[in-house]
Amino acid sequence: SFLRLHTLDIVPFNFLSILEILILVEFTTALTIWSTALLADPEFSPNWAFKDIGTPSWSRLTTSGWLFTQLAIAVLNFDIKTLFLLLINLLSFGQEPKRSEGSEAVINAINKNTKGITFITGDTGINSELNEIGTTFFKNKYIILSNKKRRHYETTLNEKTNTYNNNLYCVDVDKDGNLSFPLLFSKDLDSKNDEGSLTFSSDQKTIFFTQENPEKANQYELYSAQLDTTTNRPFWGNIKKIDLLPENYSVETPSISNDGTKLYFASNIPGGYWGYDLYVAEIKPDGTLGEYRNLGKNVNTKEDEKYPNVTPDNKHLYFSSKGHLNVGEYDVFRSSIVGNDYLEALNLGNTLNSRRDDLAFVLVDNNKGYVSSDKSNAGNFDILKFEIKQLENQFETGHFIEGSLLGI
């Protein structure tokens, strides 16, 4: 009756009848939680609920309960666009891929698929007791995110999360792949907020980067800038905020394809498969972005997907996911690209992936690269270098061809 009272003028009666049956248990759970919140805090509002209990990780709601909570919030706010996206999400909910839990059986299945492929990982020399995450290359420097105070550069405290904000640093790379001598990447782009990931056009004159919204914890916004080389000191100018998505949704881990025509990114906008999904938007000749589209069910799951990275020949997409056939937390996967389609994602195996988070996979050449991992279970990431051995075997699925894991 609560749902009917607030949606009679928005949702057709027949759909309401079906919806009432579907959400009897889950919506009741959501309302119970809301009632508790109202008693505890008279200033409680739907917007507050959206931020604090409208997340898939909130333990007292099942995944479907999370959807119905957001659906009710959209109705109460009379947010028609969000409501429409959530209804699409509802219709696709029953087709969500089921996440594997990293059991021995799963690991055995992954090992069977990755037979003959071994990742040899090692420390890069740049890691500290705090956070280091790799991003991409600019010129001959590797760009990293770190919240450790380095040299005289300021490190600010994020009062919402009670952690130090990440800054962007460029580091030297030696012949063995070791990293050293971190310097602030750009004063032009530096902010007092948490810096997110970034990506460059192939000519390295355009950058897309992300920064946390100072008013909303863990919500990142997308920006672009142009490299101005007309002065003695080149600088990043023409900085613009890009309103690619509606407000209240995050744009994260952007990555430009090598031909400069596509921008891949992660977002939690409703209408996908759940949580954070991967999307792609066309980069028009004038540098503006076209409509974005979801990469589909072979890539996205009801869990989170982030850190897309496409090979230079545009034949393979590497990304991190908490879903699919999974060792645990974020694992690194590869999906082959055929036209506009993305084939079934393949886990890169437990010589690379651990039961903790493994992400920000980037290739340097045919058998070397970097990955960021929390293998130590310390709550902070380290940047590891890797080398791929035993490439003579192919995946039994036939997706890995000519004995090359990298496809380039």
Side-chain angles (χ1 to χ4, degrees):
S1 61
F2 177 88
L3 178 66
R4 182 178 299 279
L5 177 64
H6 287 275
T7 57
L8 278 176
D9 296 329
I10 301 175
V11 184
F13 176 81
N14 289 341
F15 180 81
L16 272 179
S17 300
I18 298 172
L19 188 61
E20 286 170 349
I21 296 172
L22 287 174
I23 70 174
L24 180 61
V25 174
E26 300 293 359
F27 201 76
T28 301
T29 303
L31 289 178
T32 300
I33 293 168
W34 283 13
S35 299
T36 303
L38 279 168
L39 291 173
D41 182 5
E43 300 299 322
F44 173 83
S45 71
N47 288 332
W48 178 90
F50 187 91
K51 181 181 74 172
D52 291 309
I53 69 173
T55 60
S57 61
W58 206 64
S59 60
R60 288 187 59 191
L61 285 177
T62 65
T63 304
S64 55
W66 174 79
L67 169 61
F68 298 126
T69 300
Q70 293 204 60
L71 182 62
I73 293 167
V75 170
L76 289 176
N77 283 335
F78 297 97
D79 185 346
I80 303 301
K81 185 171 183 178
T82 299
L83 178 61
F84 176 74
L85 291 172
L86 287 167
L87 292 177
I88 293 175
N89 213 332
L90 173 63
L91 294 176
S92 64
F93 174 71
Q95 302 173 359
E96 294 290 332
K98 185 177 180 180
R99 182 190 175 191
S100 301
E101 293 299 331
S103 65
E104 291 303 317
V106 169
I107 293 176
N108 290 337
I110 292 171
N111 288 341
K112 182 179 180 181
N113 280 343
T114 57
K115 185 178 180 181
I117 305 295
T118 301
F119 288 82
I120 308 299
T121 60
D123 188 69
T124 55
I126 199 70
N127 299 309
S128 70
E129 73 282 5
L130 295 181
N131 211 43
E132 282 80 32
I133 297 178
T135 63
T136 188
F137 283 87
F138 178 71
K139 308 298 184 183
N140 61 343
K141 304 285 187 180
Y142 189 44
I143 311 302
I144 71 169
L145 284 162
S146 177
N147 62 352
K148 179 177 174 60
K149 180 175 176 59
R150 298 179 184 274
R151 302 183 188 277
H152 58 278
Y153 302 119
E154 180 183 3
T155 302
T156 56
L157 181 68
N158 190 321
E159 295 181 356
K160 294 183 176 64
T161 61
N162 198 33
T163 58
Y164 285 103
N165 288 320
N166 286 307
N167 286 332
L168 287 165
Y169 297 93
C170 56
V171 298
D172 291 341
V173 184
D174 71 13
K175 61 182 180 61
D176 297 318
N178 297 312
L179 308 176
S180 62
F181 202 63
L183 295 173
L184 190 70
F185 170 60
S186 172
K187 291 183 179 179
D188 306 315
L189 306 180
D190 189 45
S191 73
K192 294 186 179 298
N193 306 317
D194 196 44
E195 312 293 344
S197 193
L198 76 172
T199 184
F200 301 93
S201 59
S202 56
D203 63 6
Q204 301 200 317
K205 293 182 178 179
T206 300
I207 182 175
F208 288 90
F209 63 100
T210 55
Q211 293 177 345
E212 187 181 42
N213 184 328
E215 304 300 324
K216 299 176 181 177
N218 299 318
Q219 180 180 313
Y220 288 81
E221 299 174 322
L222 181 65
Y223 295 83
S224 69
Q226 304 296 319
L227 184 63
D228 191 324
T229 59
T230 60
T231 64
N232 292 333
R233 175 193 169 273
F235 65 95
W236 292 103
N238 194 26
I239 300 173
K240 296 179 180 178
K241 181 176 177 294
I242 301 175
D243 295 321
L244 180 62
L245 304 178
E247 292 184 4
N248 298 322
Y249 302 108
S250 194
V251 181
E252 301 185 21
T253 62
S255 179
I256 298 177
S257 61
N258 190 59
D259 60 10
T261 62
K262 296 180 177 67
L263 179 72
Y264 292 83
F265 62 94
S267 178
N268 59 345
I269 186 171
Y273 291 84
W274 222 259
Y276 280 84
D277 280 3
L278 295 183
Y279 294 83
V280 62
E282 175 193 2
I283 301 176
K284 299 179 180 180
D286 63 359
T288 59
L289 298 180
E291 291 294 319
Y292 57 87
R293 66 181 179 88
N294 190 289
L295 296 193
K297 64 181 181 179
N298 285 337
V299 171
N300 295 310
T301 69
K302 68 177 183 179
E303 306 295 338
D304 293 335
E305 283 73 39
K306 293 185 181 182
Y307 295 92
N309 195 318
V310 176
T311 54
D313 61 5
N314 292 317
K315 289 184 178 180
H316 301 100
L317 168 72
Y318 290 92
F319 64 98
S320 289
S321 173
K322 291 184 177 180
H324 297 292
L325 198 62
N326 190 293
V327 175
E329 300 300 328
Y330 277 111
D331 278 4
V332 181
F333 292 82
R334 193 188 87 166
S335 171
S336 296
I337 305 172
V338 180
N340 290 322
D341 296 324
Y342 298 83
L343 303 187
E344 180 183 0
L346 300 174
N347 190 303
L348 297 194
N350 69 344
T351 59
L352 177 72
N353 293 313
S354 67
R355 293 186 183 272
R356 300 290 297 175
D357 289 319
D358 305 283
L359 41 80
F361 182 92
V362 60
L363 304 170
V364 177
D365 56 29
N366 279 354
N367 68 336
K368 294 180 180 179
Y370 295 97
V371 67
S372 301
S373 178
D374 186 25
K375 292 185 194 303
S376 63
N377 195 18
N380 289 298
F381 285 89
D382 289 338
I383 301 172
L384 305 178
K385 59 184 178 180
F386 65 77
E387 184 174 1
I388 306 170
K389 298 289 188 180
Q390 302 176 11
L391 298 180
E392 66 275 7
N393 290 345
Q394 300 179 12
F395 269 67
E396 295 183 7
T397 59
H399 289 305
F400 283 174
I401 60 175
E402 298 176 359
S404 172
L405 172 67
L406 306 184
I408 57 176

